[in-house]
Amino acid sequence: MPLLIEHVCQSLAAVAPLRLAESWDNVGLLIGDRQRDCRRVMTCLTITPDVVAEATDQQVDLIVAHHPLPFKPMARLTTDSTASGMVLELAAHRIAVYSAHTAFDSARRGINQQLAEGLQLTDIAPLLPDPADTSETPDGSGRYGRVAATTLEQIMRRAADFLKLPKVRYVGDPDAAVTKVALACGSGGSFLDAARRKGCDCMLTGESNFHACLEAQSQGIGLILVGHYASERFAMEQLADHLMQEHDELTVWASRSESDPLRQFSL
């Protein structure tokens, strides 16, 4: 029996149940035919023209992208916009697209859980638990956990080492004592109040706006900003490995053309 796109969708839904997605999100199979054979899968953080070109060149059957495409309803499909043009190109090559997005953020083996483990936290729990989940390791938004007494600087070093980063941005005193850490992948400034309520000394996220940085400063909570791309891309690489282990018939890889669009200029 051939492996179908639907079978891979089922595997992905087992990793990140779609009921965990935020109400505003667009998740699941977004482009494609569930009944088509699936042999080649590529994961990525975001579908861009470079990713589309790689997928068509490599004759991919399914792209598993963290960020949905399409995200919002499209009134027309033309090449007048980048997003609709990519949808047209993917459809023309019969390349399916699946996204779990916020469901993968919140799942018990999702991005935030992986981040927490990468920072070597203990007693890990969701910042905002899923009220429908009463298991010992529940799903939920964000994560927080404990560390042996350390400093904000040392947590930054752990993050940089785990995510393979040359530097990170931060708010706070590098020498400030830390025993409890919160985190939220992507753009997680909205979790700052939840982190404060849990008694966290610092919070790690991908990016945050200026006002959230000021709020962290006024609350005495260290804020570590590792970049949106770095806070999530690593998990799409691990997801590629998981899918290949789950299905011997598949060839799976994380996009080789994708990169962080932000660059640093040294004066």
Side-chain angles (χ1 to χ4, degrees):
M1 180 178 177
L3 185 71
L4 305 178
I5 285 173
E6 172 62 13
H7 297 142
V8 182
C9 291
Q10 291 171 4
S11 295
L12 291 165
V15 172
L18 297 181
R19 63 175 180 79
L20 298 175
E22 298 292 336
S23 59
W24 47 261
D25 209 354
N26 190 28
V27 294
L29 185 65
L30 306 180
I31 300 173
D33 179 353
R34 295 179 183 275
Q35 299 308 310
R36 277 183 61 82
D37 289 359
C38 189
R39 296 184 179 86
R40 296 174 65 78
V41 177
M42 184 172 74
T43 67
C44 67
L45 183 61
T46 308
I47 296 177
T48 65
D50 285 344
V51 169
V52 171
E54 180 181 359
T56 57
D57 181 64
Q58 296 298 316
Q59 299 181 319
V60 165
D61 300 303
L62 172 66
I63 297 175
V64 180
H66 188 57
H67 297 139
L69 178 75
F71 179 50
K72 296 180 180 180
M74 292 181 170
R76 54 183 59 84
L77 289 175
T78 69
T79 56
D80 293 343
S81 76
T82 300
S84 63
M86 290 191 297
V87 170
L88 277 175
E89 183 76 3
L90 292 168
H93 286 84
R94 306 199 73 176
I95 297 172
V97 173
Y98 184 101
S99 171
H101 201 205
T102 52
F104 192 32
D105 291 345
S106 298
R108 67 190 61 186
R109 293 301 308 157
I111 298 181
N112 284 317
Q113 181 68 26
Q114 293 178 46
L115 267 177
E117 293 172 1
L119 291 178
Q120 304 162 43
L121 304 187
T122 60
D123 301 325
I124 301 167
L127 277 172
L128 300 172
D130 175 12
D133 191 340
T134 58
S135 65
E136 289 187 12
T137 54
D139 303 302
S141 301
R143 290 294 186 275
Y144 74 103
R146 297 183 180 276
V147 289
T150 186
T151 64
L152 181 63
E153 178 180 347
Q154 290 305 312
I155 297 299
M156 289 191 284
R157 290 186 182 279
R158 288 190 194 186
D161 182 60
F162 175 63
L163 297 172
K164 299 178 176 60
L165 298 173
K167 60 181 69 175
V168 299
R169 297 191 299 163
Y170 70 96
V171 174
D173 178 0
D175 296 323
V178 172
T179 59
K180 193 180 287 187
V181 179
L183 53 89
C185 63
S187 182
S190 62
F191 288 93
L192 189 61
D193 190 52
R196 179 190 59 78
R197 292 196 304 270
K198 297 294 186 181
C200 296
D201 307 296
C202 72
M203 187 178 86
L204 179 146
T205 187
E207 60 182 349
S208 186
N209 64 33
F210 181 67
H211 295 289
C213 292
L214 291 176
E215 182 64 17
Q217 186 178 56
S218 67
Q219 295 283 348
I221 298 174
L223 186 61
I224 302 170
L225 305 174
V226 298
H228 198 128
Y229 181 88
S231 75
E232 296 178 332
R233 161 73 190 201
F234 78 95
M236 302 312 291
E237 296 169 5
Q238 293 186 11
L239 184 59
D241 293 337
H242 171 78
L243 287 174
M244 199 145 50
Q245 292 170 9
E246 187 91 352
H247 300 286
D248 293 339
E249 313 95 314
L250 285 180
T251 298
V252 192
W253 71 95
S255 171
R256 303 178 186 106
S257 63
E258 183 175 44
S259 62
D260 192 338
L262 292 175
R263 297 286 186 266
Q264 296 186 28
F265 180 68
S266 299
L267 296 174

